[in-house]
Amino acid sequence: MVSLLKRGKRWLVLGHRWLGIATGLLFALWIGSGLVMLYVPFPSLTEAERLARLRPMAWDAVAVSPDEALAAAGLHGMPRSLDLEMRGDEPVYRMPASDGRRITLSARTGTPAGPVDAGAARRLAGAGPGAFVEEVERDQWTVTARYDSLRPFHKVALNDAAGTELYVSERTGEIVLDTTRFERGWNWVGAVTHWVYLTPLRARAELWRDVVLWISGIAAFTAFSGLVLGIWRLRLRRRYAGGRVTPYRGMARWHHLVGLIGGIGLTTFIVSGWLSMNPNRWFTSLAPPADLRAAYAGADSPVGLDTASLRAMAADAPLGLHLARIGGRWVAMGLDRAGARVIGDAPDAPRIAAAASHAMAGARLEGVERLASHDLYWSSLTSGTLPILRLRFADPAATWLHIDLQSGEILNRLDRSGRVSRWLFTALHRLDLPVLVDHPPARDAAQWLLNLLGGILVITGLVIGWRRIGPKAGAHSPLPARGERAATSSSSARQGGSRG
């Protein structure tokens, strides 16, 4: 048994040493890119940015009612939402189809609004004479599957001071993404590096997931083994020669001692990052599935607004309308630069609860909670929307639904596994804790402290690794890796170590 234990320790030492050499640069890249991501997120088009680029609705040009548009679309089943907004100078209806497509119809004629060419994309983007238009199927910033129904794109470079590039969907004419030179530059050393977001790899979602799982899994073992070895080699009572608590000197000593503190944070970051890739599909997605959204929308029903009624809403909807079906009834939300707000009666809590209970296939509703502030499971890092309803169901997964109390939209679904993931990933990896999230400077300071400690640990490890495998490695006896016993008593003496 003793021999087996010694052999296990020896393999743990060797595993940490060589895996540390192999993954050390990855650790450094993850730490640096993670700090960049605190301040520069991955490019996306926010709702405020989208609305800022919409032209005012030409209500007098709307000659087709919502119900006529739904009939003209010829869809199998009624969509759960319908948008009326401008596409350049043309008012259009947009609606999602059950197969993932996004249907666009002219609100003047009810006929399909066809694809847009490069010239139309330039006009939709409001580009000046110096703009450049390039057709893009998939690139670094549109690599994920969320853009699949909108491909290909016309990428319009505005040639402005910020280096803005707008992506206009060829299929629908919508501006779906904007990026700036600042965002693109910093994301190469931020999110792209941190998430291993290389376009040829990320375009193959399952392959990318497997690669990141293996890389981060090996890195997690490396960090954890180092923490175990660091504790094993620490002596607070029966100390090493000279009263030292560590058997190492020089760079190895710093690696050992800093690792006892920074190793906890580094291991936590790496393990929680590995868990974010959902190994073995342990955690369910926060996004409500399509069948839940469809059931929540309820039975097909007419919108009941004619063109005269639409024009009467113009003052409350200068940019258009968003119509959503909840429990078989439509809610109209007017769009302006500030966002969307309900025109008329907002769906009340009993109506929302009834629609949600139907969507949950009759699972018993065991709790309804109105949240006017963020808490442990509804964070401002997840969504800024308030107030919301939290509906708790007694189904096998113990599902919670978070629903916007104004619009009635389902914001996310959080079941038992999602709540576990919230602690194992969001809380540990992003420091998403109310005491820190409510005080951003404190959260930034905590992130920097943990990452700097991890950075010192990684840099010292890289130096030790380079001494072992570098050009002059054979010229001297290498410093032992953290937690490693010296191979011979003479080398232990040279390092100031003691055979414990």
Side-chain angles (χ1 to χ4, degrees):
M1 184 67 179
V2 174
S3 176
L4 185 63
L5 183 61
K6 286 184 177 180
R7 187 177 302 175
K9 288 180 177 179
R10 179 61 178 168
W11 279 108
L12 191 64
V13 168
L14 291 174
H16 177 70
R17 175 197 298 166
W18 292 109
L19 288 176
I21 291 172
T23 61
L25 186 58
L26 277 174
F27 280 103
L29 291 173
W30 277 330
I31 289 172
S33 59
L35 290 172
V36 171
M37 290 176 66
L38 289 176
Y39 307 101
V40 187
F42 194 74
S44 66
L45 185 73
T46 67
E47 181 64 7
E49 290 171 335
R50 189 186 79 85
L51 293 173
R53 293 190 178 277
L54 280 182
R55 297 187 185 182
M57 172 56 62
W59 288 105
D60 291 342
V62 177
V64 176
S65 72
D67 290 312
E68 290 169 336
L70 291 171
L75 298 177
H76 178 68
M78 185 173 288
R80 66 176 185 271
S81 66
L82 181 65
D83 294 289
L84 174 60
E85 58 190 40
M86 296 297 287
R87 190 176 93 166
D89 296 326
E90 179 79 3
V92 295
Y93 284 102
R94 304 188 191 276
M95 63 195 81
S98 58
D99 60 3
R101 292 177 300 133
R102 189 156 168 81
I103 307 298
T104 304
L105 301 176
S106 168
R108 295 179 190 267
T109 63
T111 58
V116 300
D117 59 18
R122 181 191 296 269
R123 292 190 295 274
L124 290 169
F132 175 76
V133 182
E134 175 188 2
E135 185 163 338
V136 172
E137 179 68 28
R138 185 192 305 269
D139 68 1
Q140 185 64 58
W141 317 117
T142 59
V143 68
T144 60
R146 61 175 295 203
Y147 294 106
D148 284 353
S149 64
L150 300 163
R151 304 183 196 280
F153 306 102
H154 296 290
K155 183 172 72 172
V156 184
L158 299 184
N159 195 30
D160 60 355
T164 305
E165 294 179 351
L166 302 178
Y167 290 74
V168 180
S169 169
E170 182 180 298
R171 292 185 180 184
T172 68
E174 296 171 87
I175 296 175
V176 298
L177 176 65
D178 66 346
T179 70
T180 64
R181 187 183 301 109
F182 178 88
E183 290 175 325
R184 294 189 298 272
W186 279 107
N187 264 275
W188 281 109
V189 293
V192 174
T193 298
H194 200 80
W195 296 336
V196 197
Y197 249 41
L198 303 175
T199 304
L201 177 63
R202 184 61 183 88
R204 303 173 64 183
E206 285 304 312
L207 175 62
W208 168 76
R209 178 177 177 274
D210 289 342
V211 168
V212 176
L213 271 173
W214 277 102
I215 292 175
S216 57
I218 292 170
F221 174 79
T222 304
F224 182 73
S225 63
L227 187 60
V228 171
L229 290 170
I231 294 172
W232 168 41
R233 294 295 279 163
L234 182 70
R235 286 188 180 179
L236 297 178
R237 294 184 179 178
R238 192 166 58 91
R239 298 192 175 191
Y240 296 98
R244 291 179 291 107
V245 297
T246 175
Y248 306 109
R249 289 185 183 277
M251 192 67 70
R253 177 175 181 271
W254 281 104
H255 189 70
H256 185 196
L257 295 179
V258 173
L260 293 169
I261 303 174
I264 297 175
L266 185 63
T267 302
T268 298
F269 280 139
I270 298 300
V271 172
S272 60
W274 176 70
L275 289 171
S276 75
M277 298 305 298
N278 199 7
N280 204 35
R281 311 291 184 185
W282 288 329
F283 311 115
T284 56
S285 171
L286 295 181
D291 57 349
L292 178 68
R293 289 188 181 276
Y296 181 71
D300 292 353
S301 60
V303 178
L305 292 173
D306 57 21
T307 54
S309 300
L310 293 177
R311 294 189 185 102
M313 296 178 173
D316 295 317
L319 299 181
L321 286 176
H322 174 71
L323 302 166
R325 189 160 42 91
I326 300 171
R329 295 171 56 190
W330 290 88
V331 176
M333 284 165 274
L335 303 180
D336 60 23
R337 302 296 181 200
R341 63 173 183 270
V342 174
I343 299 175
D345 295 330
D348 55 18
R351 176 181 164 190
I352 290 173
S357 296
H358 173 74
M360 289 295 296
R364 181 170 59 86
L365 178 61
E366 64 178 8
V368 179
E369 183 180 2
R370 185 183 187 276
L371 296 183
S373 59
H374 296 101
D375 67 1
L376 289 174
Y377 292 99
W378 187 250
S379 166
S380 59
L381 293 183
T382 304
S383 173
T385 302
L386 286 172
I388 65 163
L389 280 184
R390 175 179 291 155
L391 306 181
R392 300 191 302 274
F393 291 90
D395 63 314
T399 301
W400 295 0
L401 295 181
H402 290 127
I403 300 178
D404 186 335
L405 191 54
Q406 180 188 19
S407 68
E409 176 190 3
I410 300 178
L411 299 172
N412 75 16
R413 178 191 63 171
L414 193 65
D415 64 9
R416 186 181 293 110
S417 72
R419 292 191 288 278
V420 172
S421 176
R422 179 262 180 277
W423 288 105
L424 295 182
F425 168 63
T426 313
L428 296 180
H429 200 79
R430 303 179 65 191
L431 301 188
D432 186 358
L433 299 168
V435 67
L436 295 177
V437 173
D438 292 343
H439 301 88
R443 179 171 174 267
D444 283 359
Q447 287 276 15
W448 275 93
L449 175 62
L450 291 174
N451 278 282
L452 286 175
L453 287 172
I456 295 172
L457 178 59
V458 169
I459 291 171
T460 54
L462 286 171
V463 172
I464 294 169
W466 177 251
R467 287 176 176 176
R468 180 171 292 276
I469 66 173
K472 298 181 180 180
H476 57 79
S477 296
L479 293 173
R482 175 158 53 107
E484 179 187 1
R485 290 181 181 274
T488 65
S489 58
S490 61
S491 62
S492 292
R494 283 196 300 271
Q495 295 297 329
S498 172
R499 299 182 66 85

